[in-house]
Amino acid sequence: MIVLDGKIAAQAIKDKLKAQVENFTANGLRPPKLAAILVGSNGASETYVASKVKNCAETGFESLLIRLDASVDETTLLQTIEKLNHDHTVDGILVQLPLPKHISEQKVIETIHPAKDVDGFHPVNAGKLVQGLPGFIPATPYGIMLLLEHFDIQTKSKHAVVIGRSNIVGRPMSILLSSNIPYGNCTVTIAHSHTQNLKAICLQADILVAALGKPEFVTADMVKPGAIVIDVGITRVEDATAKKGFRIKGDVAFNEVAPKTTAITPVPGGVGLMTIAGLLTNTLQAYLNNVTA
Ligand code: NAD
């Protein structure tokens, strides 16, 4: 069994991106720039945005963090996005989700210009993914594909089961794994909250991707011996003995599942770090499209 260490894979990708950026700036070009909008002060969102900003700096990207109060009205947020859409020095825009209830996430997603939509949530980019056209792939599934590539995990003709059908993880993941691309070409089953006999379906999986947001849901009895297990889940579980009062748990019961697998991602230290690598790779692509346009 090998642990698919997201730290190692993400660092290798960041090193490559950094070298590319150094090459561009040495030739007189500006560095890539990512603008992040954070509405309110949700603890997990603060952590994610801070990590994205830090990773930009480590990779030689510029970043711009725009903080808006939780009470900001939808029009002000949409106008802020429009301004960034028209700012030629900004290559990528992300709005950290979730948003307060009075703001439509769909409107926000659709206001980001598809050419700057480095989170890959805009319907135009989702459509391109379905049709196999170049566009921005949501950062988490993209990061998982980069992880499979880094560790050269063979996927062709394997049966992949993806638990979860969200627009940001499960559904795009199922499309990528079934696409005729490197580290794709799987036969894919997508499972969700209405799936019956989930255990029997999971037991057929050569590759099992858990993205349902239920801590330690996938247990050893649900995993085929020798499977590849990708754990996307990130849930804060209260724990008074932990320094911060909580621990991060994945969707897979790692300790009991790991010995049955050929390879497995840890949580933390797996898919989360690859998500940032996916985001930075998308931002560099947006930059290249922008500066060569
Ligand atoms: P979501 O709540 O939007 O979707 C969850 C999906 O799981 C739904 O499609 C639902 O049908 C399915 N589901 C729920 N209960 C189920 C059950 N009992 N059996 C089968 N399917 C079930 O969540 P999401 O945004 O896709 O995120 C999923 C998890 O991944 C969360 O823990 C989230 O925090 C985490 N996440 C991690 C990263 C990362 O970078 N590692 C990025 C995004 C999301």
Side-chain angles (χ1 to χ4, degrees):
M1 184 272 293
I2 61 161
V3 173
L4 302 171
D5 189 331
K7 206 170 173 186
I8 292 172
Q11 192 58 53
I13 290 162
K14 279 164 42 183
D15 288 347
K16 264 196 226 159
L17 294 174
K18 191 176 180 196
Q20 282 178 273
V21 172
E22 280 169 358
N23 191 25
F24 294 133
T25 51
N27 284 300
L29 290 171
R30 64 170 177 81
K33 186 168 172 181
L34 174 71
I37 301 178
L38 178 60
V39 181
S41 53
N42 170 288
S45 294
E46 287 271 2
T47 308
Y48 296 146
V49 169
S51 174
K52 288 167 188 173
V53 167
K54 179 170 161 271
N55 276 275
C56 276
E58 286 170 4
T59 319
F61 289 30
E62 272 186 33
S63 63
L64 167 69
L65 173 57
I66 299 174
R67 287 175 167 277
L68 298 173
D69 195 81
S71 64
V72 70
D73 60 283
E74 189 178 273
T75 310
T76 305
L77 175 56
L78 299 183
Q79 283 169 348
T80 306
I81 296 168
E82 284 293 4
K83 239 173 116 183
L84 295 170
N85 282 341
H86 290 101
D87 183 339
H88 295 297
T89 70
V90 170
D91 303 296
I93 303 168
L94 73 84
V95 179
Q96 188 64 45
L97 302 179
L99 291 169
K101 295 254 178 307
H102 65 278
I103 297 173
S104 156
E105 287 190 353
Q106 194 57 30
K107 261 194 207 168
V108 166
I109 287 168
E110 291 187 22
T111 301
I112 297 172
H113 194 287
K116 298 194 179 192
D117 170 39
V118 288
D119 258 339
F121 297 162
H122 194 288
V124 165
N125 282 314
K128 285 183 173 175
L129 174 63
V130 171
Q131 297 199 353
L133 300 170
F136 295 114
I137 301 166
T140 299
Y142 190 21
I144 293 169
M145 296 306 282
L146 293 171
L147 185 81
L148 296 175
E149 183 183 351
H150 181 88
F151 289 99
D152 194 24
I153 301 290
Q154 295 306 310
T155 56
K156 192 172 158 188
S157 306
K158 300 265 172 74
H159 183 195
V161 173
V162 179
I163 314 176
R165 59 177 165 190
S166 72
N167 286 341
I168 65 168
V169 188
R171 194 170 300 280
M173 190 72 246
S174 71
I175 293 163
L176 285 162
L177 286 170
S178 66
S179 295
N180 186 3
I181 54 174
Y183 305 96
N185 282 310
C186 292
T187 301
V188 177
T189 301
I190 181 160
H192 47 74
S193 50
H194 292 273
T195 297
Q196 288 190 337
N197 304 322
L198 183 61
K199 180 177 163 183
I201 292 167
C202 290
L203 279 168
Q204 294 173 27
D206 302 310
I207 298 169
L208 180 63
V209 181
L212 68 161
K214 296 217 155 55
E216 303 191 327
F217 179 92
V218 175
T219 44
D221 59 331
M222 297 168 75
V223 176
K224 179 176 167 177
I228 311 288
V229 176
I230 308 291
D231 189 352
V232 185
I234 298 183
T235 307
R236 289 182 171 200
V237 178
E238 277 186 39
D239 182 344
T241 66
K243 222 180 184 177
K244 293 180 179 165
F246 64 86
R247 284 189 200 284
I248 301 291
K249 293 269 185 202
D251 286 345
V252 177
F254 185 91
N255 289 341
E256 62 175 87
V257 169
K260 276 190 93 173
T261 66
T262 297
I264 183 167
T265 60
V267 176
V271 173
L273 300 171
M274 296 311 295
T275 294
I276 294 185
L279 173 72
L280 294 173
T281 307
N282 274 343
T283 305
L284 186 78
Q285 188 57 53
Y287 164 80
L288 290 173
N289 297 345
N290 195 8
V291 294
T292 57

